Amino acid sequence: MSEKSKLSKALLYAPENGYDRLPESEKAAMHDYCEDYKDFLNHGKTERLCVEYCIELAKKHGFVEFQPGMPLKTGDKVYCNNRGKGIMLAVIGTEPLSRGANIAAAHTDAPRLDLKPRPLYEDTELAYFKTHYYGGLRKYQWTAFYPEGGGQPADRGTLTLADGTVLPVHIGDKPEDPQFIINDLLPHLGREQSKKPLGEAIPSESLNILVGSMPVEDADEKHRFKLAVMQLLHEQYGMVEEDFISAELEAVPAGHARDIGFDRSLIASYGHDDRVCAYAELAGLFDAKAPKRTAVCIFADKEEIGSEGVSGMLSAAFDKFMGELCDTQGVLLRDCFANSFCVSADVTAAYDPNFAEVYDKRNSAFINYGVGLCKYTGAGGKSGASDASAEVVGKLRRLLNEENVFWQMAELGKTDAGGGGTVAKFMAQRNIDTIDAGVPVLSMHAPYETVAKLDCYMTYRCMKAVFEKA
């Protein structure tokens, strides 16, 4: 290398494709990690299922359910289940909680279609479920497709019967299960529909799931098609129509995570946002070696609708868990938070050359360039953002460089092209130094999103490094 080239390399910042830097010895580890991640996706189609599978994995790694007042010592591993929709896990460090904790916070809810409280109806001898969309989805993407590996959508959730019995509902995932679909208008009659703006072409109230067309045999019955569906549901779950009112039923894509590309370098799946970061922090916690500061992993709910409710990051559930950990050491929670460090583990938008007009190419995340660090999110003039300080950015940048974790800085598109948020601002409101970091995603919020295996692996290595050494 010439002196001029050395000077250029020393002074100028030139991000590199990760495959130009990835040691051959790490490729097998990357492959194994991504296979485990795909299993997590396939098990965790909803936030409840993510929590269930997380607990199953945590127990295998020596975690026990935390009980207030239980004695804790260095190396102990505990988890706290927040109403089956969120979970917090901790590995007690060698340093007291007065020195703070290293925290990674992700969310496991994803855009979807929820069934309305009274969803079942019939029209023109067809039976349907009415839905209410959840989160920032694009409605036209949810009509009339049937991907390999499973139909769209599948019904999953929880049903509470009149007598208080709580039942899980999983329909559409197994090969032998029935599938469901949302119809769209044929192009031969869609001339006027095609003239509408993209966001208006599919009205919300037309996202109705086709669930049956075979009537009961009684020709005098007024609701023959609706009743036929209820008979099947009663046989399987013992439910009556009123039980829909005390149910949480979510329609999500049924297809499993699949490798993408001839080289299998990418993964397509429903729910990468934000389960790709949730699993990275969980695996990082499992693999962290003797963390000095207590390491805390969070799966939060409701991020896609503002982190509201008892299972969202605005809930006091996290404060309660951390406060009870602090009580075991006689530490004030406010002192712990003031000295803590948090990575808001959430995805960012990957640069897509097909839609280059909405990206600032110099400040975008690229596929295969590693975990994307975001100093701020928000919209327009950083509205709704948690803007990490130079010291916080520098701390994570230095750590990742020392650990040879591939990373890149990113913004979510051009300044006024749109915007988005994460749980970072809610962690910062607790007086915790916080920065966003996560996997770049193509087709974010679509029924099937795409990520790069290299970026998934580097995000896991980032979380592991944070837990061990931040």
Side-chain angles (χ1 to χ4, degrees), residues 242-377:
E242 187 178 311
D243 292 325
F244 279 117
I245 292 172
S246 55
E248 290 181 357
L249 297 173
E250 304 173 6
V252 299
H256 285 186
R258 299 296 298 267
D259 287 347
I260 294 295
F262 290 113
D263 56 7
R264 297 179 175 268
S265 62
L266 304 149
I267 303 171
S269 177
Y270 169 68
H272 283 313
D273 179 10
D274 184 36
R275 293 162 194 162
V276 67
C277 296
Y279 184 73
E281 64 180 38
L282 183 66
L285 186 71
F286 290 162
D287 294 344
K289 305 298 182 185
K292 292 182 179 180
R293 300 212 295 181
T294 293
V296 179
C297 166
I298 305 168
F299 284 13
D301 184 25
K302 297 291 187 285
E303 190 275 344
E304 298 294 357
I305 58 170
S307 296
E308 308 288 349
V310 293
S311 54
M313 209 63 243
L314 279 170
S315 165
F318 170 64
D319 305 68
K320 180 177 184 293
F321 175 65
M322 290 300 298
E324 289 169 345
L325 293 184
C326 287
D327 288 345
T328 66
Q329 300 181 7
V331 172
L332 293 175
L333 178 62
R334 64 173 180 264
D335 291 338
C336 175
F337 279 173
N339 292 308
S340 292
F341 178 78
C342 176
V343 172
S344 170
D346 208 340
V347 299
T348 188
Y351 180 82
D352 189 336
N354 293 300
F355 306 100
E357 64 276 6
V358 298
Y359 294 90
D360 173 4
K361 194 171 184 179
R362 291 175 55 84
N363 290 284
S364 293
F366 290 85
I367 290 294
N368 290 324
Y369 276 63
V371 58
L373 311 187
C374 295
K375 187 178 186 299
Y376 47 82
T377 53

Side-chain angles (χ1 to χ4, degrees), residues 23 74 83 166 307 434 456:
T74 297
R83 298 170 172 87
V166 179
S307 296
T434 305
C456 295

Side-chain angles (χ1 to χ4, degrees), residues 334 336-340 426-434:
R334 64 173 180 264
C336 175
F337 279 173
N339 292 308
S340 292
F426 307 122
M427 303 306 286
Q429 285 171 9
R430 292 174 163 96
N431 195 28
I432 301 173
D433 279 332
T434 305

Side-chain angles (χ1 to χ4, degrees), residues 125-428:
E125 300 188 343
L126 295 173
Y128 293 94
F129 279 159
K130 295 289 295 182
T131 69
H132 191 133
Y133 70 91
Y134 172 96
L137 56 77
R138 307 188 79 182
K139 294 184 284 290
Y140 75 91
Q141 295 175 336
W142 287 75
T143 62
F145 77 96
Y146 193 86
E148 180 183 0
Q152 190 287 120
D155 283 328
R156 295 168 178 268
T158 297
L159 171 69
T160 302
L161 302 181
D163 64 1
T165 302
V166 179
L167 298 174
V169 177
H170 300 162
I171 308 173
D173 190 44
K174 298 176 182 177
E176 65 271 20
D177 282 354
Q179 303 289 336
F180 309 96
I181 201 162
I182 298 169
N183 299 324
D184 196 3
L185 185 62
L186 65 163
H188 311 73
L189 300 177
R191 183 176 301 172
E192 292 303 313
Q193 182 194 49
S194 297
K195 295 177 182 178
K196 296 179 180 179
L198 198 61
E200 299 175 9
I202 304 295
S204 302
E205 295 298 337
S206 71
L207 292 174
N208 302 314
I209 303 172
L210 182 61
V211 296
S213 67
M214 186 184 298
V216 296
E217 293 183 358
D218 186 356
D220 295 327
E221 171 59 44
K222 183 178 180 181
H223 303 292
R224 299 173 67 207
F225 299 85
K226 176 179 173 179
L227 182 58
V229 171
M230 277 311 311
Q231 285 182 342
L232 294 171
L233 292 173
H234 183 73
E235 289 173 7
Q236 186 166 359
Y237 296 104
M239 68 178 294
V240 297
E241 187 178 6
E242 187 178 311
D243 292 325
F244 279 117
I245 292 172
S246 55
E248 290 181 357
L249 297 173
E250 304 173 6
V252 299
H256 285 186
R258 299 296 298 267
D259 287 347
I260 294 295
F262 290 113
D263 56 7
R264 297 179 175 268
S265 62
L266 304 149
I267 303 171
S269 177
Y270 169 68
H272 283 313
D273 179 10
D274 184 36
R275 293 162 194 162
V276 67
C277 296
Y279 184 73
E281 64 180 38
L282 183 66
L285 186 71
F286 290 162
D287 294 344
K289 305 298 182 185
K292 292 182 179 180
R293 300 212 295 181
T294 293
V296 179
C297 166
I298 305 168
F299 284 13
D301 184 25
K302 297 291 187 285
E303 190 275 344
E304 298 294 357
I305 58 170
S307 296
E308 308 288 349
V310 293
S311 54
M313 209 63 243
L314 279 170
S315 165
F318 170 64
D319 305 68
K320 180 177 184 293
F321 175 65
M322 290 300 298
E324 289 169 345
L325 293 184
C326 287
D327 288 345
T328 66
Q329 300 181 7
V331 172
L332 293 175
L333 178 62
R334 64 173 180 264
D335 291 338
C336 175
F337 279 173
N339 292 308
S340 292
F341 178 78
C342 176
V343 172
S344 170
D346 208 340
V347 299
T348 188
Y351 180 82
D352 189 336
N354 293 300
F355 306 100
E357 64 276 6
V358 298
Y359 294 90
D360 173 4
K361 194 171 184 179
R362 291 175 55 84
N363 290 284
S364 293
F366 290 85
I367 290 294
N368 290 324
Y369 276 63
V371 58
L373 311 187
C374 295
K375 187 178 186 299
Y376 47 82
T377 53
K382 301 185 182 180
S383 176
S386 171
D387 197 343
S389 69
E391 293 86 350
V392 169
V393 177
K395 176 177 180 175
L396 186 56
R397 169 192 169 202
R398 184 169 60 255
L399 172 63
L400 299 185
N401 284 338
E402 290 171 352
E403 296 299 310
N404 197 32
V405 176
F406 306 165
W407 61 273
Q408 54 186 318
M409 287 301 296
E411 287 191 351
L412 193 69
K414 287 183 177 178
T415 301
D416 287 325
T422 68
V423 302
K425 62 181 179 180
F426 307 122
M427 303 306 286

